[in-house]
């Protein structure tokens, strides 16, 4: 998945033969259409189609055409790119799931799990920048491959796409700050509860949650990535919360019936941790 697609090289339409001023009739303004400039390698001429795919509309472009030109299929276990490699391409995930990992003192740490619609490998926006993480496929899927020229053209010509990218980057910065806060906690249960409270707050901000509750989809692996714990440890912590009726689980979707009760539990866990520290 390291090669970049080239433009179609579509030539502009041939110019019509000129008529003498006495015989020519003025053409309707609606039919006047400027000729399209020829494509150049590395700068495909369909940024508007990609924008429509990123921001779905009722009459968007044919997804099959976009996949045929920009799509790169992958299988579970495939490495999309590795940490330290030059960042020459960005990717828009169409299908499947991707995990981003980073080596810390020789150990691999999960950073996040990406879902369809996520843009990753944004270092392609910075010429010559190296990959800061490794992307590994968790399942079979497809990603649209965008080289630096295509991505820059897409952002410059489509403010809606640029805004979407900015929102996604801001969201990742928020998640990184949340992870730092969680890592500073020493108690396992406090880490999980803190992460759930933040996810609940985000869910309520998006709307559609109960008056004093929240519901959101997250897998054990995604939750373990957020709290920096192994999956089995996270499952045990979640089970304890279920037994205490602080949350319900159904098909990788968590429901918190009473956020205030979960906040009180987090406060009690913090008090317990302080008492341990004084002893």
């Amino acid at each position: 998945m390291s090669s970049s697609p080239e433009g179609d090289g579509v030539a502009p339409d041939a110019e019509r033969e000129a008529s003498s001023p006495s015989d020519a009739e003025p053409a309707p303004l609606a039919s006047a259409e400027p000729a399209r400039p020829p494509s150049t390698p590395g700068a495909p001429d369909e940024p508007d189609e990609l924008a429509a795919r990123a921001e779905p509309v009722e009459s968007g472009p044919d997804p099959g055409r976009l996949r045929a030109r920009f799509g790169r299929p992958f299988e579970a276990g495939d490495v999309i790119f590795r940490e330290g490699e030059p960042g020459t391409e960005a990717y828009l995930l169409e299908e499947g799931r991707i995990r981003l990992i980073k080596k810390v003192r020789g150990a691999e740490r999960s950073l996040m799990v990406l879902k369809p619609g996520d843009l990753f490998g944004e270092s392609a926006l910075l010429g010559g920048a190296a990959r800061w993480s490794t992307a590994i496929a968790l399942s079979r899927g497809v990603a649209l491959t965008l080289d630096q020229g295509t991505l820059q053209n897409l952002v410059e010509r489509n403010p809606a796409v640029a805004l979407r990218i900015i929102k996604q980057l801001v969201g990742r910065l928020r998640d990184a700050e949340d992870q730092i806060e969680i890592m500073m906690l020493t108690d396992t249960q406090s880490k999980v509860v803190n992460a759930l409270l933040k996810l609940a707050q985000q869910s309520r901000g998006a709307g559609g949650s109960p008056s004093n509750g929240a519901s959101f989809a997250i897998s054990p692996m995604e939750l373990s990535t957020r709290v920096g714990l192994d999956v089995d440890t996270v499952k045990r912590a979640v089970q304890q919360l279920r037994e205490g009726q602080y949350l319900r689980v159904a098909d990788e979707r968590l429901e918190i019936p009473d956020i205030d009760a979960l906040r009180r539990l987090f406060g009690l866990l913090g008090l317990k941790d302080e008492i341990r520290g004084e002893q």
Side-chain angles (χ1 to χ4, degrees):
M1 299 189 63
S2 60
S3 60
S4 301
E6 293 185 355
D8 282 338
V10 179
D13 296 332
E15 297 180 355
R16 296 182 178 178
E17 295 182 359
S19 302
S20 62
S22 59
D23 296 333
E25 293 183 3
L29 291 177
S31 65
E33 180 178 354
R36 296 174 63 189
S39 301
T40 56
D45 54 357
E46 281 116 331
D48 293 329
E49 292 189 7
L50 285 169
R53 184 65 187 89
E55 297 288 339
V57 293
E58 294 182 0
S59 58
D62 180 11
R65 182 185 178 191
L66 294 180
R67 288 194 182 190
R69 181 168 183 180
F70 300 99
R72 293 293 182 273
F74 53 80
E75 300 290 335
D78 285 355
V79 177
I80 313 303
F81 54 75
R82 295 185 183 277
E83 183 178 353
E85 292 179 346
T88 58
E89 298 169 329
Y91 301 89
L92 179 63
L93 188 58
E94 287 280 284
E95 290 183 6
R97 294 197 303 170
I98 300 287
R99 180 171 61 157
L100 299 182
I101 62 175
K102 187 174 182 64
K103 276 194 174 183
V104 180
R105 293 182 178 178
E108 292 185 344
R109 302 291 184 183
S110 292
L111 298 176
M112 65 182 65
V113 176
L114 304 171
K115 297 180 179 179
D118 284 342
L119 181 73
F120 63 106
E122 308 92 328
S123 57
L125 283 171
L126 305 174
R131 302 291 190 192
W132 61 279
S133 63
T134 297
I136 299 179
L138 294 175
S139 64
R140 174 183 295 181
V142 178
L144 299 184
T145 305
L146 310 173
D147 61 28
Q148 183 178 0
T150 303
L151 186 58
Q152 184 173 347
N153 193 18
L154 182 65
V155 170
E156 289 177 351
R157 294 180 56 180
N158 298 274
V161 176
L163 180 60
R164 174 178 176 174
I165 292 176
I166 291 173
K167 287 182 177 180
Q168 190 170 103
L169 295 178
V170 170
R172 289 185 183 176
L173 177 60
R174 176 199 60 203
D175 290 343
E177 291 176 345
D178 290 345
Q179 284 183 316
I180 292 173
E181 179 182 338
I182 292 170
M183 296 302 177
M184 294 176 68
L185 300 173
T186 57
D187 179 63
T188 296
Q189 194 77 347
S190 294
K191 290 176 182 285
V192 174
V193 171
N194 183 275
L196 292 176
L197 286 172
K198 292 183 181 301
L199 289 168
Q201 183 177 358
Q202 295 175 22
S203 175
R204 289 178 61 82
S209 297
S211 57
N212 191 37
S215 177
F216 47 87
I218 188 169
S219 68
M221 177 177 289
E222 290 174 275
L223 186 55
S224 70
T225 297
R226 284 180 172 270
V227 299
L229 300 170
D230 62 85
V231 175
D232 290 337
T233 300
V234 169
K235 286 183 177 179
R236 288 194 295 269
V238 168
Q239 181 59 34
Q240 292 176 4
L241 293 173
R242 292 179 66 181
E243 293 172 355
Q245 299 184 351
Y246 290 102
L247 60 82
R248 307 186 188 101
V249 182
D251 299 328
E252 291 193 352
R253 190 169 187 87
L254 299 184
E255 178 182 343
I256 301 175
D258 190 341
I259 295 178
D260 289 338
L262 194 61
R263 286 199 184 101
R264 289 193 292 270
L265 174 63
F266 182 68
L268 290 174
L269 291 172
L271 181 60
K272 181 179 177 181
D273 194 45
E274 289 180 6
I275 294 174
R276 285 178 179 174
E278 293 176 356
Q279 293 177 349

